[in-house]
Amino acid sequence: MSAVIEVNPLEQFSPEPPTPGDSCLLIIFGASGDLTRRKLIPGLYNLACVGCMNPQFEVLGVGRTPMTSEEFRTKLRESASKSGGTRDFNDGHWREFENRLHYFAGDINDDQFYSRLRDQLDKMQSGGSSPNRLFYVSTPASVAGPVVEGLARAGLNRTAQGWTRIILEKPFGHDLESALQLNDVVHKVFDEKDVYRIDHYLGKETVQNILVFRFGNSLFEPVWNRNYIDHVEITAAEAVGVEGRASFYEETGALRDMVANHLLQLLALTAMEPPIAFDADSVREQKVQVFRSIPPMTVEEASKRTVRGQYGPGQAGGKPVPGYREEPHVKASSTTETYVAVEFQVHNWRWAGVPFYIRTGKRLPRQVSEIRVHFKRTPQALFAGTPHEQLGPNVITLRIQPDDGISIAFDVKRPGDHMRALTVDANFSYESAFGSKGPPAYETLLLDSMRGDPILFTRRDEVEAEWRIITPIEEAWAKLPAPVFPNYAAGSDGPAEADALIGADRRAWRKLAV
Ligand code: BG6
């Protein structure tokens, strides 16, 4: 592909030119879905534009809807040109890119489907397509297992001439049991080294930066423990509602959708010990150790340490919006949580006694994902008797989005005659330091899977360890009295009970409403 856009963020952040992916044929199951349209195709288009795409790269979209490759391209073009996911959408670049896109209609529940798919792939290979095959399973969790089995029946889990890898989109199972079953099915036919389980938060530039911040500097690590840290607050707030995904969300809820993966990953990266090397297994090993240090909650603990919420009617962007129960395809008596706050305890030498408060929700005042590490107050109230007897504690904020960066809050003396202190921020922002944000997460992850680098993907035991934390909470909730929903208005900071959850010892969530 000759078209090259001027700003290449992958190049900009790295002194060396980006390494293109291997040649391959990417086969997407769920090609007519939202993810393909909004994230995968824009990400691939960007990679082609910045010169990271191997010339022998193609996509075969698989879906039930009958359509030709031409119709498939037209549909994707429409959404790619509108979506914010593509940088500098340009007709000429798109025309070159779309030649790489093909479509194959079929029903994945039909027995004949997989042998037809095999014939199609063989035909493409004889016509010059790459022998390397990358399957992307972006289907409802319940269908992922049958797809993997179907691929194996048709002998598509291996190729003689190239490599075969499989990317599994979240949700990876619905609970511990289904995740174990899915892993068993996958492992019967694929080696773990060829399995790429996606958690797109790991592809975010600022999430990758957590390890560099912690282990690339000698300043922070000595104080990154229970002796100095009072508590950790992790937020992933969204202003949007369920956005036409109600049938998925009704079955999922905020705990499974966000905490079981994205938020637990943020917690693990914040809490983990230094890995012995910067490679996939060493990093994943340390994350698993963190998960194993979080004991499963009893029903009583879940009643005290978790808060569920569901939004009612309110405001978003200054306009009235309906409550969750009034959204299309949501039951009028739905008990699905659109908000959750949890206090986790990490029972190990470094973190004993330090609570990790996490919260996530839809229809909160704005989109913000961040990790705030709150340090203990100074041991001596040296400035007692001044107007600021109690100075603010230090807080390190790792801002994941939207204003990607890091800030450190500390106290200074206000200029002037009186001893008055003020909390100020030392601030690092990606945008002002590097001139632009990093590449979108899916772009990074797709490229890594084509290069065969699994460091930003989750390992089998990691996903199972996540469910070992989440499933007991779901089970406890099923035994506890159902909360009275809705319990927060769209556009508010969430249910009042969440304030009580964090509220001991003058702790408080950062206010989201501006
Ligand atoms: C997805 C969830 O995994 O993450 C969505 O299924 C959520 O419900 C999304 O909106 C949030 O991702 P981001 O990158 O916008 O923070």
Side-chain angles (χ1 to χ4, degrees):
M1 175 113 178
S2 57
V4 171
I5 58 173
E6 273 159 27
V7 183
N8 175 353
L10 288 165
E11 228 165 22
Q12 212 180 353
F13 289 136
S14 141
E16 312 104 60
T19 321
D22 294 359
S23 76
C24 72
L25 178 58
L26 173 68
I27 302 112
I28 306 178
F29 288 86
S32 42
D34 200 46
L35 187 81
T36 305
R37 232 181 11 250
R38 286 179 42 222
K39 303 284 183 191
L40 305 184
I41 296 296
L44 292 167
Y45 167 83
N46 288 340
L47 287 174
C49 288
V50 299
C52 283
M53 199 64 97
N54 191 292
Q56 211 189 357
F57 168 83
E58 287 163 290
V59 173
L60 182 68
V62 174
R64 210 189 319 208
T65 321
M67 72 179 133
T68 62
S69 291
E70 209 40 62
E71 287 163 337
F72 182 54
R73 291 170 187 173
T74 309
K75 269 183 89 168
L76 293 176
R77 184 193 184 289
E78 251 171 59
S79 45
S81 61
K82 284 188 211 130
S83 102
T86 47
R87 281 187 286 259
D88 294 355
F89 183 84
N90 165 305
D91 255 341
H93 295 177
W94 176 265
R95 269 197 297 278
E96 281 184 60
F97 172 72
E98 72 173 3
N99 291 329
R100 300 167 180 267
L101 307 179
H102 314 278
Y103 186 75
F104 183 73
D107 180 355
I108 52 179
N109 301 313
D110 171 8
D111 249 11
Q112 303 304 310
F113 166 77
Y114 295 92
S115 49
R116 282 181 47 234
L117 177 64
R118 184 188 52 219
D119 295 345
Q120 171 70 16
L121 296 180
D122 289 347
K123 197 167 103 196
M124 289 177 77
Q125 198 176 319
S126 329
S129 295
S130 170
N132 296 328
R133 290 174 185 167
L134 181 56
F135 292 100
Y136 197 121
V137 185
S138 166
T139 58
S142 56
V143 189
V147 168
V148 173
E149 284 166 339
L151 291 175
R153 274 198 308 279
L156 284 170
N157 52 326
R158 303 221 145 75
T159 37
Q161 297 92 342
W163 52 249
T164 302
R165 295 181 191 138
I166 185 163
I167 303 179
L168 296 163
E169 185 52 60
K170 72 169 267 281
F172 193 85
H174 190 70
D175 53 16
L176 177 59
E177 202 187 325
S178 55
L180 290 168
Q181 274 167 8
L182 181 53
N183 270 331
D184 284 345
V185 168
V186 169
H187 274 260
K188 273 194 196 122
V189 290
F190 286 100
D191 290 340
E192 176 65 22
K193 70 170 180 38
D194 297 320
V195 183
Y196 289 69
R197 296 177 194 79
I198 280 210
D199 181 318
H200 80 276
Y201 261 58
L202 295 180
K204 289 181 190 280
E205 204 53 57
T206 36
V207 174
Q208 295 180 59
N209 191 41
I210 299 171
L211 293 193
V212 180
F213 179 77
R214 288 192 54 202
F215 303 129
N217 297 294
S218 55
L219 192 56
F220 309 112
E221 203 43 32
V223 292
W224 207 262
N225 57 49
R226 64 190 301 274
N227 298 327
Y228 297 93
I229 292 176
D230 179 74
H231 68 285
V232 178
E233 175 193 356
I234 304 181
T235 299
E238 295 184 274
V240 293
V242 280
E243 290 190 298
R245 292 164 75 223
S247 22
F248 158 78
Y249 204 80
E250 273 286 88
E251 298 298 310
T252 312
L255 185 70
R256 287 192 179 100
D257 187 37
M258 294 291 287
V259 183
N261 33 71
H262 309 324
L263 282 149
L264 281 181
Q265 286 291 329
L266 296 183
L267 187 157
L269 291 166
T270 309
M272 67 187 250
E273 295 302 316
I276 53 161
F278 187 59
D279 59 47
D281 273 332
S282 307
V283 170
R284 296 190 284 191
E285 195 55 48
Q286 293 304 342
K287 284 195 280 169
V288 172
Q289 294 296 333
V290 174
F291 295 140
R292 290 179 54 200
S293 313
I294 300 176
M297 281 190 205
T298 61
V299 176
E300 201 199 336
E301 284 164 341
S303 74
K304 291 189 189 136
R305 295 204 191 138
T306 68
V307 171
R308 285 174 273 177
Q310 188 192 76
Y311 64 83
Q315 295 275 318
K319 295 197 184 112
V321 290
Y324 177 70
R325 289 178 175 180
E326 288 88 56
E327 301 270 15
H329 310 296
V330 172
K331 286 198 282 303
S333 58
S334 171
T335 54
T336 300
E337 81 285 357
T338 59
Y339 176 101
V340 58
V342 185
E343 178 197 322
F344 285 117
Q345 295 284 342
V346 181
H347 286 207
N348 63 18
W349 194 278
R350 187 191 282 258
W351 294 113
V354 179
F356 283 71
Y357 296 102
I358 60 140
R359 65 175 163 167
T360 183
K362 297 215 182 265
R363 283 278 186 245
L364 295 175
R366 64 199 166 100
Q367 185 210 29
V368 51
S369 295
E370 63 179 23
I371 300 164
R372 284 164 62 81
V373 179
H374 296 257
F375 285 80
K376 291 186 174 168
R377 289 175 189 274
T378 52
Q380 183 193 3
L382 188 60
F383 302 100
T386 72
H388 289 274
E389 190 178 324
Q390 272 293 346
L391 299 186
N394 298 121
V395 181
I396 295 183
T397 306
L398 305 168
R399 296 191 309 270
I400 292 156
Q401 57 192 29
D403 174 21
D404 316 9
I406 297 171
S407 56
I408 302 177
F410 59 100
D411 291 291
V412 296
K413 179 189 170 296
R414 275 177 194 262
D417 189 19
H418 300 285
M419 174 52 82
R420 283 174 190 268
L422 179 73
T423 304
V424 294
D425 268 338
N427 188 26
F428 156 73
S429 136
Y430 269 85
E431 199 128 26
S432 39
F434 298 112
S436 82
K437 293 182 176 190
Y442 274 97
E443 204 174 311
T444 304
L445 296 173
L446 283 164
L447 186 57
D448 279 0
S449 61
M450 292 180 214
R451 289 177 181 151
D453 183 354
I455 195 163
L456 300 178
F457 295 82
T458 50
R459 204 169 63 179
R460 172 183 187 151
D461 52 350
E462 206 175 337
V463 169
E464 292 173 358
E466 289 176 333
W467 283 119
R468 279 197 179 89
I469 297 168
I470 298 302
T471 300
I473 300 179
E474 292 282 357
E475 287 169 355
W477 284 356
K479 290 186 188 134
L480 290 165
V484 181
F485 282 164
N487 58 355
Y488 71 100
S492 72
D493 265 34
E497 294 89 329
D499 294 331
L501 178 84
I502 196 174
D505 297 333
R506 285 166 299 169
R507 291 173 189 148
W509 300 107
R510 186 154 89 86
K511 285 275 164 260
L512 296 171
V514 274

